[in-house]
Amino acid sequence: DIQMTQSPSSLSASVGDRVTITCRASQGISTSLAWFQQKPGKAPKSLIYAASILQSGVPSKFSGSGSGTDFTLSISSLQPEDFATYSCQQYNSYPYTFGQGTKLEIK
Amino acid sequence: EVQLVESGGGLVQPGGSLRLSCAASGFTLSDHYMDWVRQAPGRGLEWVGRTRNKANSYTTEYAASVKGRFTISRDGSKNSLYLQMNSLKTEDTAVYYCARGHNSFDVWGQGTMVTVSS
């Protein structure tokens, strides 16, 4: 199975900041990488697929990059609604696997 | 509006069975790959399994942790997806989500809670 490792596991930031979250795959996955946002008690929301393509309706403050084994999610100009848990997921091969999540908290 | 609504969760004893349903609206289920993903309390997301679309004969894939115990199926007339869960274990306790397998998972249901406990 492909292991997905996110860093950091938690992150404190202020409104208006820009943050970057990293996701590393245990083997190459090309650009078969997605990012999700999840708030407490809610279903995940898809943000990005194919490493860098925004899902329909997702604001351009979110951006993704990377290929192979190393990927990043960046969020600019943080707003209160952006504080949530972010997870990466590979869909290059079965079983699909997720990172452990990065909890973004308000400083 | 594209929407997925799960139902069927509840409390079941270890070794028991449960069938979850996922009603789709706003799109034709048979055209799409569909997945089940679960999340144990306080834990990360775990992919459970997938059924491919009609064009790919509705073939399935499963995580090793559920293979042989869980079965994914569809009813086109009801535009619904199902997850039949047998021989349930305490470690199957989780919120179960159905998701449309387009561009990874582009649409998710709200989830249904399954608790396996004696």
Side-chain angles (χ1 to χ4, degrees):
Chain A
D1 298 3
I2 298 175
Q3 306 302 315
M4 305 301 292
T5 303
Q6 289 181 232
S7 60
S9 296
S10 64
L11 177 59
S12 294
S14 301
V15 171
D17 284 353
R18 174 185 175 88
V19 298
T20 297
I21 299 168
T22 297
C23 178
R24 175 165 289 177
S26 60
Q27 62 190 75
I29 59 170
S30 185
T31 56
S32 300
L33 190 284
W35 289 98
F36 299 91
Q37 176 194 66
Q38 189 175 23
K39 297 180 180 179
K42 300 296 186 181
K45 173 186 176 183
S46 178
L47 298 176
I48 287 171
Y49 66 96
S52 63
I53 301 175
L54 291 181
Q55 286 282 7
S56 175
V58 173
S60 59
K61 63 186 304 180
F62 294 94
S63 63
S65 66
S67 67
T69 60
D70 295 314
F71 302 87
T72 61
L73 170 70
S74 295
I75 313 168
S76 63
S77 187
L78 282 171
Q79 296 302 305
E81 61 269 23
D82 298 328
F83 292 91
T85 297
Y86 293 86
S87 299
C88 62
Q89 178 242 342
Q90 68 81 18
Y91 54 99
N92 183 73
S93 62
Y94 299 110
Y96 292 164
T97 46
F98 292 85
Q100 80 280 14
T102 294
K103 187 173 184 180
L104 177 57
E105 300 175 303
I106 298 178
K107 186 182 290 183
Chain B
E1 180 191 6
V2 173
Q3 193 173 11
L4 297 169
V5 178
E6 300 96 337
S7 59
L11 175 64
V12 61
Q13 292 188 336
S17 298
L18 205 59
R19 189 178 84 152
L20 306 182
S21 300
C22 171
S25 58
F27 69 100
T28 302
L29 201 69
S30 61
D31 292 340
H32 291 271
Y33 288 34
M34 295 296 297
D35 294 79
W36 287 95
V37 177
R38 67 184 180 183
Q39 187 169 35
R43 305 294 298 274
L45 298 163
E46 180 188 15
W47 175 78
V48 172
R50 153 168 288 190
T51 171
R52 296 180 178 85
N53 58 9
K54 183 177 181 179
N56 288 280
S57 305
Y58 299 133
T59 53
T60 53
E61 302 284 348
Y62 295 96
S65 58
V66 306
K67 194 170 185 178
R69 299 188 299 124
F70 289 12
T71 302
I72 298 173
S73 62
R74 303 168 179 248
D75 184 336
S77 67
K78 295 181 179 179
N79 215 37
S80 291
L81 177 74
Y82 303 100
L83 181 64
Q84 177 67 45
M85 303 185 295
N86 299 330
S87 303
L88 282 160
K89 306 175 181 180
T90 55
E91 54 264 41
D92 294 319
T93 294
V95 175
Y96 285 74
Y97 298 99
C98 62
R100 189 170 72 171
H102 178 69
N103 294 334
S104 177
F105 307 138
D106 67 335
V107 180
W108 295 66
Q110 86 287 353
T112 187
M113 182 71 204
V114 172
T115 302
V116 185
S117 174
S118 54

